[in-house]
């Protein structure tokens, strides 16, 4: 899976195809894709939280852009 959560490749061992029925295999593949998506989300969050621009953590800005904008509005 790419950092943009694009599924790049699925590899299924031939032994799994022989030992697991199709329904179970499909469920296992779905579970694995969801787990990998969560890992990609965590990795992206760590990267963005560790990157700052102009003293602002990129992750914070992406999570709540309004907070950044409020800092630049007069009277706040």
């Amino acid at each position: 899976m790419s950092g943009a959560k694009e599924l790049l490749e699925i590899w299924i061992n031939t032994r799994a195809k022989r030992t697991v029925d199709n329904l179970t295999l499909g469920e296992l593949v779905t579970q694995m894709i969801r787990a990998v998506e969560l890992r990609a989300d965590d990795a992206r969050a760590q990267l963005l939280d560790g990157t700052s621009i102009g003293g602002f953590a990129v992750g914070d800005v992406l999570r709540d852009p309004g907070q950044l904008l409020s800092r630049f509005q007069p009277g706040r």
Side-chain angles (χ1 to χ4, degrees):
M1 183 161 293
S2 74
K5 292 174 43 171
E6 297 170 308
L7 187 59
L8 301 175
E9 179 179 12
I10 294 178
W11 180 81
I12 300 172
N13 188 305
T14 54
R15 192 169 97 194
K17 293 177 186 177
R18 286 182 265 144
T19 58
V20 178
D21 64 89
N22 288 341
L23 183 61
T24 303
L25 184 59
E27 290 172 353
L28 291 171
V29 169
T30 301
Q31 289 174 7
M32 179 59 74
I33 291 170
R34 288 183 180 146
V36 172
E37 284 179 336
L38 290 175
R39 288 179 59 190
D41 288 341
D42 289 343
R44 185 175 51 253
Q46 286 180 3
L47 175 69
L48 294 176
D49 287 343
T51 304
S52 63
I53 298 174
F56 299 101
V58 174
D60 291 341
V61 173
L62 292 175
R63 278 188 289 278
D64 184 11
Q67 180 183 19
L68 175 66
L69 295 175
S70 68
R71 294 181 187 179
F72 295 105
Q73 292 177 351
R76 286 194 171 192

